[in-house]
Every structure is written in C-alpha cells, then in structure tokens.
Amino acid sequence: MLKLIKNGRVYCPEHMGKADLLIVGDKIGKIEENIDPSGCLLEVEVIDAQGKNVVPGFIDQHVHMIGGGGEAGFASRTPEVMLSSIIRAGITTLVGLLGTDGTTRQVQSLLAKARGLEIEGVTTYIYTGAYEIPTRTITGNVRWDIILIDKIIGVGEIAISDHRSAQPTKQELKRLAAEARVGGILSGKKGLVHLHVGRGKGGLNMVFEIVEESDIPISQFVPTHINGSRALLDQGIRFAMAGGVIDITSGASPMRGDRDSIKPSKAIMECLERGVPLGRITMSSDGNGSIPLYDEEGNIMGLTVASLESLHAEFRDLVVEEGLDMSEALQIITSNVAKVLGLYPLKGRINVGSHADIVILDEGLNIDTVIARGRKMMEGGKVTVKGTFE
Ligand code: ZN
C-alpha cells in the first residue's frame, strides 16, 4: 500500500518548503515538489496536508514504559503506558527505562513491554539497569546485555546526586561507563550511560572528573533532568560547552507543579543564548513516571502520572512563545535525539530511505496526523490505532 502526503510544508527537520511525500511500505520512497498518483499501478491513499506542516515523528529517549514511581509506597506505582498515550504525543520512537524501583520492576518486563509496543506499531528501545549501581540487568552484566539483546542500547537511568541514588563512587560509575562503552563498540550501538542527575550535592561533578581523568569520551554520558534546578542548568551548560549533549526534561516545569525546575522551553532558550550549539540539546518527557503534587505550603497533595504530551507542548512553546525557528525546535526532539541514540538518519529525519515516521501539525502546531513506520495511527486529531487492551 502506498500513501501520498500532498501539499504540506515539509521540515526534514530543516525547512524544505512545499513538497509531496510518497510512503512505500514502512519507508519514505520519494520526496518531490509534485507527485502525481494517477497512472500508478498500485492503489495510493492520498493525505491532504494543505496548510499543514509535515515533520519527523518525535523521539522520546526517557519513558517509564512499565511505570515508575512507587516513592510514596506501593499504591503510588504508576501503571504501564498505553499505545494511545504515545501516539497522542506525536511520538513514534521511544526508549524505555526503569527508575528508582529496580526491585519490583525488572528489565525483563521492560523488554517484553517494548516488544509489545513495537508489535502495536511504534519503534522501541530500552536501557538496561535502574537507579542503582551495581545495577539491574538481564544477563547479569551490562556489557552482555548491550551486546546480546538488540533492543538494549545502553544503561540507565543511573542516578547520581540524588537522595534516592545508590550514592555510587566515581570508580563505580567509571567502571559502568566502561562496560557500556565496550558493549556498544562490540555491538555497533552507542552504549550510552543515561544519567538521572538529581538536585543533590555535586550535580555533574563526578562526570566532569571521569571525563577529565579517564579515556571515556564525554559523548558516552547523556545527563538528563538538566532543567531540574538553576545550579544544574548552569552545570549542564558547562557540560555542553565541553562537548557533551544535555537532555532537558519536558515534564519538569514549575507550571506542572515542580517548583525548583526551570520551564523546559525557557531552559533551552537560555542554553542557546549562552552559546550552547543547538546540536548538543535534546528533550525527553520522563513520561509515565509519577509527579508529586504540592499545595502552596509544599505539602504533598497527591500524585499524578507524567504525560508524554509535555514533549510536544514544550516544543510548541519554543516556537510560539519563544520565537525559536521551527526547524531548530524540531531538531531538539527529532534529529538530535536520533544522532545521540545512533539511529540517524533511519530515524529523526524526513529523507528518502528513512522510516516513514511522520507527524502532521496544523497551523497552530497541534498534532493532526501521526504515521509510524508507514502506518496511520492518528488522523484529524483522533487516535485511530489503539493498543491491545484499550
Ligand atoms: Zn529520572
């Protein structure tokens, strides 16, 4: 089956102007100013994108697929993510991970969930591990997990500078990074260490020291939650200026009840204004984890599940409120992430030969249509393909 997206403004993510896109199976087969479907031997479904923007599907490298939380007891464990929550957020590729709880949640279950979501229609990867070091694995070894299990592209989220971390020593973190790196080298993956950086003492200090003292390159580490506090953002900017890539958490914002954090779109603008190259910034949702809700005195009022939709909301704010060029804002949630994860240009780009992961945004930048691997998952703002139990 062929699909033809006609008359849209195409962002690759760089702006290429008005063009038509022919989707052949799960890939993009042709991009031209005008593709005429008449005379084609096969049936062609035409999707009219007149007045709309055709952009790469979003990539979210931090999703608690099988739930997270549990930090206010067993009743606060968040449930598994459903396919429609992913699609509604415009996400077509996601990386799943465990968080604080590596005891009642297992990498094995995460792998099964990732495989399930892939069957349901999106592209998935996972990190082995959880907050703690020594961390949780499937084979008993981070390096083996990365080498032997296709979906595992690194280790994470490993917690540092947080009261919930295992308080790892520098040597322990260095050794873990070395395992991930060699695992990556031997399997043709990035072997990333996806770091949960908390708001505790030290921030990124340990990572700076490891990069300085050892032969592990700065690109091995992807520190996230960098907009978690003022001090952390300052350190993150230093990290990015030194050649690293920093990840902003779209779900962490004072507007969503997280008082210490810096609004993601503002944090990104500050990074750019202070000289961080655009290519060193990514954004992820931290979706499906738990968010504590506080009253004005700072007492916990309850818990809510973090939505994956904050990723799109902050992208939109970058363009609409902050005036960032649309192609630049898109890079932060598409091509930059694909490059960090080692998936580019198969993912994160509208390109002949790339996967047909496409989002169509209306004039107000709302998500209108989502296509994942050539399959239409959302149309006219409505999710059309649901998960098995929805
Ligand atoms: Zn985290």
Side-chain angles (χ1 to χ4, degrees):
M1 176 72 171
L2 304 173
K3 289 186 185 70
L4 180 61
I5 304 176
K6 275 201 80 72
N7 305 315
R9 276 186 301 270
V10 178
Y11 288 83
C12 296
E14 67 273 21
H15 187 208
M16 77 170 283
K18 225 172 180 193
D20 293 352
L21 244 73
L22 184 68
I23 297 171
V24 184
D26 67 349
K27 297 240 173 91
I28 297 169
K30 201 176 189 180
I31 308 171
E32 262 172 31
E33 225 177 282
N34 180 34
I35 301 173
D36 182 5
S38 65
C40 184
L41 291 173
L42 298 167
E43 196 188 321
V44 183
E45 180 188 351
V46 178
I47 299 165
D48 184 23
Q50 179 73 41
K52 294 174 185 158
N53 307 290
V54 180
V55 310
F58 306 156
I59 304 175
D60 192 340
Q61 61 174 323
H62 192 122
V63 179
H64 293 281
M65 283 177 186
I66 58 166
E71 286 135 326
F74 293 116
S76 66
R77 299 166 84 255
T78 65
E80 292 197 0
V81 73
M82 292 284 187
L83 180 71
S84 60
S85 312
I86 298 167
I87 298 304
R88 207 172 292 119
I91 295 162
T92 52
T93 300
L94 63 163
V95 187
L97 36 62
L98 299 181
T100 322
D101 183 1
T103 305
T104 75
R105 296 188 195 273
Q106 325 265 316
V107 186
Q108 286 87 337
S109 342
L110 181 63
L111 177 64
K113 176 71 182 182
R115 289 193 171 139
L117 286 172
E118 182 107 20
I119 293 167
E120 290 181 339
V122 287
T123 303
T124 56
Y125 296 93
I126 63 167
Y127 298 115
T128 189
Y131 267 20
E132 66 247 54
I133 301 180
T135 204
R136 302 297 167 191
T137 66
I138 291 179
T139 63
N141 183 299
V142 164
R143 175 171 149 175
W144 284 46
D145 273 20
I146 295 172
I147 296 170
L148 298 175
I149 302 168
D150 291 355
K151 283 215 176 293
I152 298 183
I153 57 169
V155 62
E157 62 178 314
I158 300 295
I160 58 168
S161 305
D162 194 298
H163 63 100
R164 295 162 296 175
S165 84
Q167 312 303 324
T169 62
K170 188 167 53 179
Q171 186 53 38
E172 285 174 313
L173 184 60
K174 199 193 286 180
R175 195 181 171 84
L176 181 74
E179 267 189 51
R181 176 169 174 77
V182 178
I185 288 170
L186 292 175
S187 59
K189 301 173 188 171
K190 290 282 183 170
L192 299 170
V193 182
H194 189 82
L195 285 174
H196 161 105
V197 190
R199 294 152 195 193
K201 299 172 196 130
L204 280 167
N205 287 347
M206 205 188 268
V207 186
F208 279 120
E209 286 170 26
I210 291 173
V211 170
E212 205 153 282
E213 291 166 12
S214 76
D215 300 313
I216 295 166
I218 198 165
S219 56
Q220 214 67 41
F221 298 98
V222 179
T224 191
H225 311 323
I226 290 303
N227 55 318
S229 72
R230 165 50 45 199
L232 197 49
L233 183 62
D234 287 341
Q235 263 200 333
I237 289 172
R238 219 179 95 211
F239 184 84
M241 297 300 267
V245 175
I246 48 173
D247 189 50
I248 301 289
T249 298
S250 61
S253 169
M255 336 293 279
R256 295 182 189 92
D258 185 345
R259 293 166 164 225
D260 295 333
S261 65
I262 294 155
K263 187 180 184 313
S265 59
K266 302 260 182 227
I268 289 169
M269 290 313 286
E270 183 179 335
C271 289
L272 294 171
E273 278 152 21
R274 287 171 65 181
V276 173
L278 180 72
R280 296 199 195 138
I281 307 169
T282 60
M283 182 159 64
S284 62
S285 70
D286 200 3
N288 217 45
S290 68
I291 304 182
L293 297 173
Y294 298 99
D295 65 11
E296 288 189 354
E297 277 89 49
N299 306 307
I300 283 205
M301 297 293 287
L303 289 160
T304 178
V305 180
S307 165
L308 280 68
E309 289 171 52
S310 61
L311 192 71
H312 166 257
E314 291 298 329
F315 150 76
R316 200 171 162 278
D317 286 354
L318 272 170
V319 180
V320 176
E321 288 181 4
E322 306 295 336
L324 187 64
D325 182 72
M326 177 133 123
S327 69
E328 295 192 320
L330 279 169
Q331 283 181 48
I332 293 166
I333 54 169
T334 61
S335 57
N336 287 359
V337 197
K339 284 174 188 167
V340 167
L341 301 178
L343 308 175
Y344 189 84
L346 191 64
K347 297 288 184 186
R349 182 165 180 79
I350 289 183
N351 190 41
V352 172
S354 294
H355 276 159
D357 293 334
I358 291 159
V359 168
I360 302 178
L361 301 166
D362 68 15
E363 268 179 289
L365 302 188
N366 304 301
I367 300 171
D368 179 89
T369 299
V370 177
I371 295 168
R373 301 278 285 263
R375 187 166 166 222
K376 207 161 51 180
M377 313 291 279
M378 178 168 167
E379 196 177 18
K382 286 212 168 67
V383 176
T384 50
V385 177
K386 296 275 173 80
T388 315
F389 295 104
E390 294 189 86

